[in-house]
Amino acid sequence: MKNLLLLAMAITLLTSCASADKLLERGDYDALITLATKKMSGKKKKDVYVTALEEGFEKVTRRDMTRIESLRRTNRPEDWESIMRIARDIQRRQDRIEPFLPLVSEGGYQAKFTFVRTDQIMEEARSSAVTLYERRLDDMIAAARRGDKPSARQAVSLLDHIRSISSYYYRPGLRDELVDLGLNKIYVRIENHSAAHMPPAYEEELLSADFANSGHKWNRFYTDIDEGMQMDYRVVLRILDIATTRDEWGEKQTPYTKEIVDGWEYVLDDRGNVKKDSLGNDIKRDKKVKVNATVVETIQTKRAMIHGRVDITNLHTGSRIFSQPMEVEIVFEHVSRTFYGDERALDKNLRQRIPPVSFPSDAELVWDAFRVMKPRFFNEVRRVNYSS
């Protein structure tokens, strides 16, 4: 049993050694460092892991420092960010190894590790990236102030990115200016070109849609503007016609016939006498009769129609970028019901009498039509591509 245990331990040790050598051979240094530090977490520090850790750490640090020097020469802000990421990787490895120092193996070998001052690298990379990004930002700001909205939006993103690199970099005033320069400012208005009077409440209902939260952060809608405000687009909903129909009545009569049991009767023989069963009792049977009823349905209908058109104009070029008719029809309908005849001819659901109701006024029906038009108008305006 003892021999088997020793054999198993020997196999495990050889396998582990082979794994460390294999990781070193194929250059998977991070996996090697993870394996070696895990194996050395106990009291014993086997020579194989100590030497593998020393060699792997030296090679990966040399590789990363060579990469850093290469990236320094390009002097691009993106490459300085890469240097920051590499420096963080170096520091992470050093932090993993530091608790074991000084690292001495069971055989007495003391490994040597040369640590890098990553804080200096990080500071240089951060400062260089911010400086170079600021130069790029200056060009974007200049273009934005000349009216280039895409440049303004890119500048906002770059400002946010610079702040993610350096939390001390905070320029809220400039950011607010660039956001304002990048916005598509869209003026929305209603015009009544119909012969009908349109109360102010109707226009207010249409403009009460939540344009502010239109789903696109670079589109800002205004339904009321101060004199002198510079708009980029104008949205106009022209109401061309508002109409209602007269109160209409229609009638529909439907007859129903049903055979039902209505009491009982004696069964007679050919002579007209009551038949008897085997016990001498009179024979009876259900008395069936046909009953009739007529259901009268009165259909009340009234309609309101609104015809309009949505036009969207680019105020910088004067060109119309969108034009679409918009039509809404709303129908009031009520079916009242009564019947005459024998109600037994009707199913239970048809026996309920439904009285007629008052027709809605023209104003009420038109108001409902405007409420239906509101989300359609809002969706049309929101889905347009304001591409400046």
Side-chain angles (χ1 to χ4, degrees), residues 47-67:
D47 288 36
V48 64
Y49 295 121
V50 172
T51 56
L53 180 61
E54 179 186 45
E55 184 177 356
F57 179 81
E58 190 274 332
K59 286 184 176 181
V60 71
T61 302
R62 187 169 62 245
R63 182 200 68 187
D64 284 353
M65 292 303 297
T66 300
R67 177 64 176 152

Side-chain angles (χ1 to χ4, degrees), residues 98-306:
E98 189 172 17
F100 297 99
L101 300 182
L103 181 56
V104 181
S105 71
E106 289 180 314
Y109 177 74
Q110 181 171 344
K112 300 178 180 62
F113 297 95
T114 302
F115 279 15
V116 175
R117 289 290 303 273
T118 58
D119 57 337
Q120 296 177 352
I121 297 173
M122 288 286 293
E123 184 55 36
E124 178 195 15
R126 184 180 293 107
S127 176
S128 299
V130 169
T131 298
L132 292 170
Y133 275 134
E134 278 192 310
R135 294 175 188 172
R136 189 178 296 178
L137 180 64
D138 288 341
D139 293 337
M140 294 178 183
I141 293 171
R145 288 171 175 166
R146 292 194 300 267
D148 188 338
K149 291 184 184 295
S151 291
R153 297 166 191 171
Q154 292 170 14
V156 171
S157 296
L158 185 53
L159 266 175
D160 293 341
H161 185 64
I162 295 173
R163 193 179 180 195
S164 73
I165 296 172
S166 176
S167 59
Y168 298 104
Y169 192 91
Y170 185 46
R171 302 173 68 182
L174 176 60
R175 191 183 191 281
D176 290 345
E177 178 194 357
L178 291 169
V179 167
D180 186 68
L181 291 173
L183 287 172
N184 287 318
K185 297 175 184 176
I186 305 159
Y187 178 39
V188 184
R189 58 181 295 183
I190 311 296
E191 294 179 358
N192 182 19
H193 293 263
S194 73
H197 171 66
M198 193 173 82
Y202 292 6
E203 180 176 347
E204 291 170 4
E205 173 64 19
L206 283 172
L207 294 179
S208 67
D210 192 6
F211 287 106
N213 296 314
S214 67
H216 192 298
K217 72 174 184 178
W218 292 112
N219 292 338
R220 182 168 295 175
F221 296 89
Y222 300 81
T223 57
D224 186 25
I225 59 174
D226 297 328
E227 186 176 353
M229 284 185 67
Q230 296 296 316
M231 296 289 109
D232 300 299
Y233 294 90
R234 182 177 62 237
V235 176
V236 180
L237 171 59
R238 292 181 172 84
I239 305 300
L240 304 176
D241 188 30
I242 301 173
T244 57
T245 62
R246 59 184 178 84
D247 299 352
E248 297 178 352
W249 297 83
E251 185 176 282
K252 176 184 176 182
Q253 295 191 14
T254 306
Y256 292 87
T257 300
K258 185 183 289 185
E259 188 177 67
I260 65 170
V261 175
D262 185 19
W264 56 270
E265 61 184 1
Y266 290 111
V267 178
L268 306 177
D269 59 17
D270 294 338
R271 296 180 180 179
N273 298 318
V274 178
K275 286 186 175 182
K276 306 290 185 179
D277 60 19
S278 59
L279 299 176
N281 299 316
D282 293 341
I283 299 176
K284 301 174 184 178
R285 64 185 175 191
D286 291 337
K287 182 181 180 182
K288 294 184 178 180
V289 297
K290 283 188 177 181
V291 292
N292 301 289
T294 299
V295 174
V296 181
E297 291 181 322
T298 302
I299 301 96
Q300 298 172 252
T301 54
K302 186 174 183 176
R303 291 175 170 80
M305 291 80 69
I306 302 175

